[in-house]
């Protein structure tokens, strides 16, 4: 990453537009226990999740059957990544954000699973629509098992982590918000992997 990419998005009239953007990647590590104690606010962030239409409707979203803390507390380290998506056009409508992020998220999901396997860890990915089922209804709605349990990962937010604080304090990057219906100067994707660090 770091070079210029192009993505096709649709404007509000359905017209296809070619948008150029660049990316910047950040990475930081921390003791897992320190991260859990300093960056996790379960009640606050899960309450925000409850206000989302995906709450309880997707396997990547809360509530979860398993104890989320138990899933990560057994690891000793956390590796956090951030990827900035910087559009060349500074006047894009906010509605275009998801379309701009989709190809980047597809690539990062693949990298997340590869790194999770390499570290023998537990990955936490991104909020939003499941990239594997797309627009198809999640099997959770029919009380059926997840179709892609080997790929679907919850987000840091879904496990109660403060992504804004994570980005600022660990990666040195602030999340930008939209103004006047326009996309901010950059979008920021934050994800991480809990794993067992070296004891050497």
């Amino acid at each position: 990453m770091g070079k210029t990419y192009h993505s096709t998005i649709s404007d509000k009239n359905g017209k296809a537009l070619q948008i150029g953007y660049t990316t910047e990647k950040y990475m930081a590590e921390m003791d897992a226990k320190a991260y859990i104690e300093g960056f996790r606010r379960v009640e606050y962030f899960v309450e925000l999740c409850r206000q989302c239409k995906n709450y309880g409707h997707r396997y990547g979203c809360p509530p979860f059957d398993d104890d989320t803390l138990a899933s990560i507390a057994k690891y000793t380290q956390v590796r956090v990544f951030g990827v900035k998506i910087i559009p060349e056009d500074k006047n894009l409508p906010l509605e275009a954000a998801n379309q701009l992020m989709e190809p980047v998220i597809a690539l990062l999901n693949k990298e997340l699973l590869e790194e999770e396997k390499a570290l023998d860890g537990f990955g936490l990915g991104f909020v939003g629509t499941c990239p594997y089922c797309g627009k198809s209804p999640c099997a959770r709605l029919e009380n059926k098992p997840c179709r892609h349990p080997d790929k679907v990962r919850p987000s840091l937010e879904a496990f109660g982590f403060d992504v804004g604080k994570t980005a600022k304090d660990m990666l040195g990057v602030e999340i930008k918000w939209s103004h006047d219906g326009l996309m901010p100067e950059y979008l920021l994707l934050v994800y991480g992997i809990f794993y067992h660090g070296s004891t050497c």
Side-chain angles (χ1 to χ4, degrees):
M1 291 185 159
K3 66 179 183 180
T4 299
Y5 297 83
H6 290 87
S7 182
T8 301
I9 66 173
S10 300
D11 65 13
K12 61 182 179 181
N13 297 315
K15 181 181 178 181
L17 300 174
Q18 280 284 328
I19 301 299
Y21 63 92
T22 57
T23 60
E24 295 178 3
K25 192 169 185 177
Y26 304 80
M27 190 270 285
E29 296 194 13
M30 178 181 281
D31 175 81
K33 183 178 180 181
Y35 183 63
I36 291 169
E37 292 177 352
F39 292 78
R40 195 166 185 251
R41 298 169 58 199
V42 177
E43 294 78 10
Y44 178 76
F45 286 102
V46 172
E47 180 57 38
L48 292 181
C49 285
R50 285 194 182 94
Q51 300 172 30
C52 174
K53 63 181 181 180
N54 291 330
Y55 182 84
H57 292 165
R58 294 189 181 276
Y59 275 115
C61 300
F64 300 109
D65 291 335
D66 299 330
D67 181 352
T68 55
L69 181 57
S71 299
I72 56 178
K74 60 185 178 182
Y75 297 102
T76 61
Q77 292 288 121
V78 62
R79 183 174 295 176
V80 174
F81 302 88
V83 174
K84 268 186 185 180
I85 305 173
I86 310 165
E88 293 179 339
D89 187 339
K90 303 305 179 186
N91 293 294
L92 292 175
L94 180 59
E95 303 83 62
N98 285 336
Q99 296 179 71
L100 195 58
M101 288 190 292
E102 281 176 2
V104 181
I105 288 177
L107 175 62
L108 295 180
N109 270 318
K110 181 180 179 181
E111 292 182 358
L112 172 64
L113 293 175
E114 290 174 349
E115 184 123 5
E116 178 190 72
K117 183 178 180 180
L119 293 172
D120 191 23
F122 185 90
L124 293 171
F126 312 98
V127 296
T129 302
C130 172
Y132 305 106
C133 289
K135 296 181 180 179
S136 299
C138 181
R140 187 173 185 175
L141 293 174
E142 301 174 354
N143 293 316
K144 293 180 179 179
C146 177
R147 301 184 188 98
H148 306 280
D150 58 326
K151 297 179 180 179
V152 173
R153 297 294 180 271
S155 66
L156 285 166
E157 296 96 322
F159 266 41
F161 287 102
D162 187 333
V163 171
K165 179 177 172 63
T166 297
K168 184 176 181 180
D169 293 359
M170 289 187 66
L171 302 173
V173 184
E174 290 193 20
I175 292 177
K176 297 290 185 180
W177 304 100
S178 64
H179 294 284
D180 302 320
L182 297 177
M183 198 183 300
E185 63 182 276
Y186 60 80
L187 303 171
L188 185 65
L189 298 169
V190 180
Y191 58 107
I193 301 174
F194 284 83
Y195 70 102
H196 293 292
S198 173
T199 57
C200 298

